[in-house]
Amino acid sequence: MKICIYGAGAIGGYLGVQLARAGADVSLVARGAHLAAMRERGLTLLAGEEKHTVHPRCTDDPTELGVQDFIIITLKAHSITGVSEKMQPLLGPHTRIVTAVNGIPYWYFYKHGGQYENSTLESIDPGGRQWRELGAERAIGCIVYPATEIEAPGVIRHVYGNNFPLGEPSGESSSDVARLADLFVAAGLKAPALDRIRDEIWLKLWGNVCFNPISALTHATLDVICTDPATRALSRAIMVETQAIAETFGVKFRVDVERRIEGARKVGAHKTSMLQDLERGRPMEIDPLVTVVQEMGRLTGIATPALDSVLAMVTQRARIAGLYDGVSTAADPRALAVA
């Protein structure tokens, strides 16, 4: 089984080490100093008191790797469109693409049913390019729950978590998901196969849509956002709007708003990924975590005043910092593309 991890940063590097240790045929696509360090010294994972170093194939040129059985995309979601053409040499007739990214994935409406079947969302897949070049039919959903960070080039620090739920967009059981889940488990990871993968996508997004932009605006950690009365109330308002939109698309939430907020509070003094990106001068995931919810709200006719206000402010904050290159607002619903 040949596996390419495309975007071997913090999460991709963590997966790369664990899968390589389990004996998988893993290749990593990375760039810059991180790639140079992995080529020279291997890829090291620090997990508690343990230290593991592996030496998988590492490259910035996918043409060196050939056709893969699975491509696990661990890029920031807003970066995928820019590299979808470069992934083409990795694709064969049976290649599956695992979207281990935050937010709504490009394939969301594939085998979704209803009036939006096979639609694309402009805020996450401008012009439907990912849908065309990667293929929605190749997709396997994956939610990323672990927290990891690049401690130094070629060195990944595991902070907490090892859960990567997987699922077919159709909700069907498949041999591909079963094979991948078995490999993840052999690598010491949790990989439950879900028949409602979209529910889990929204459960993760439910926190990201509010906590991430609020943290970027306030520089507050999760514990502060969830205990301060004003930011907790704002988070709740955005989550209520988001839940109304998701349920219109048939999503079922297995916890309520207060329990979801409490779960985030218990994580403690954690900086969200958006705040970390801001502090490190990296483009922030505004569109796949926030703008896409606004766009889907407009499709359903559900007003999102709380989300709209926070989105406007965080977008302006990113522009001022030179960290925003996405779409400033969701497309007009009438422009929704059908693949």
Side-chain angles (χ1 to χ4, degrees):
M1 190 189 308
K2 297 182 67 176
I3 298 176
C4 173
I5 297 176
Y6 206 110
I11 287 294
Y14 170 56
L15 277 173
V17 172
Q18 295 297 86
L19 293 175
R21 292 179 62 216
D25 184 359
V26 179
S27 300
L28 309 181
V29 176
R31 62 182 182 179
H34 188 53
L35 172 61
M38 290 192 292
R39 282 172 162 169
E40 180 180 351
R41 299 185 296 274
L43 177 59
T44 296
L45 174 65
L46 305 176
E49 299 300 317
E50 297 183 5
K51 177 179 179 180
H52 305 284
T53 299
V54 297
H55 298 269
R57 287 184 300 276
C58 302
T59 184
D60 57 1
D61 182 6
T63 62
E64 298 177 357
L65 303 178
V67 171
Q68 303 290 306
D69 295 302
F70 293 94
I71 302 170
I72 304 176
I73 300 177
T74 52
L75 295 164
K76 296 287 188 179
H78 57 259
S79 303
I80 299 174
T81 297
V83 299
S84 58
E85 184 176 353
K86 295 180 180 178
M87 292 185 190
Q88 297 306 303
L90 304 173
L91 300 176
H94 304 294
T95 302
R96 300 302 303 271
I97 294 176
V98 183
T99 51
V101 298
N102 283 326
I104 300 293
Y106 76 93
W107 53 262
Y108 187 84
F109 286 115
Y110 177 68
K111 294 195 174 181
H112 179 276
Q115 63 177 313
Y116 300 112
E117 175 81 17
N118 289 341
S119 297
T120 60
L121 292 158
E122 196 66 17
S123 54
I124 56 170
D125 187 15
R129 184 174 174 183
Q130 293 178 49
W131 187 289
R132 293 193 309 273
E133 295 185 356
L134 300 180
E137 72 282 356
R138 298 183 188 276
I140 292 174
C142 178
I143 296 91
V144 175
Y145 280 113
T148 58
E149 58 188 32
I150 298 178
E151 186 158 295
V155 180
I156 306 298
R157 168 74 65 178
H158 176 255
V159 181
Y160 66 82
N162 66 346
N163 194 18
F164 294 87
L166 303 168
E168 292 281 359
S170 65
E172 299 169 329
S173 298
S174 74
S175 58
D176 287 338
V177 168
R179 284 196 302 154
L180 190 63
D182 287 346
L183 179 58
F184 274 36
V185 170
L189 307 171
K190 295 179 181 178
L194 306 181
D195 58 4
R196 294 181 59 89
I197 191 69
R198 291 177 183 84
D199 290 359
E200 200 72 15
I201 288 172
W202 280 96
L203 185 63
K204 174 81 182 291
L205 179 59
W206 210 13
N208 287 337
V209 68
C210 56
F211 301 138
N212 273 268
I214 290 172
S215 71
L217 291 168
T218 64
H219 289 255
T221 52
L222 281 179
D223 55 337
V224 174
I225 293 171
C226 295
T227 54
D228 177 84
T231 51
R232 185 181 178 108
L234 179 57
S235 298
R236 189 183 192 285
I238 294 173
M239 292 174 76
V240 168
E241 294 172 357
T242 299
Q243 182 174 4
I245 294 165
E247 288 178 344
T248 300
F249 292 107
V251 172
K252 297 179 180 179
F253 289 82
R254 55 183 168 84
V255 300
D256 61 22
V257 171
E258 293 302 324
R259 184 175 172 186
R260 182 67 177 84
I261 294 174
E262 278 300 293
R265 183 189 63 79
K266 291 176 182 177
V267 172
H270 174 68
K271 292 182 179 181
T272 70
S273 60
M274 196 176 286
L275 176 55
Q276 292 181 45
D277 286 341
L278 175 63
E279 292 180 343
R280 295 170 185 174
R282 301 184 304 209
M284 297 187 286
E285 291 182 288
I286 295 173
D287 290 336
L289 299 185
V290 190
T291 312
V292 68
V293 178
Q294 182 193 67
E295 182 177 1
M296 295 176 85
R298 292 181 176 181
L299 291 175
T300 60
I302 295 174
T304 54
L307 182 147
D308 293 348
S309 297
V310 169
L311 175 58
M313 289 187 288
V314 78
T315 299
Q316 185 64 14
R317 178 71 181 86
R319 283 198 176 114
I320 291 171
L323 303 177
Y324 185 73
D325 56 3
V327 296
S328 59
T329 186
D332 186 289
R334 292 169 297 181
L336 189 73
V338 178

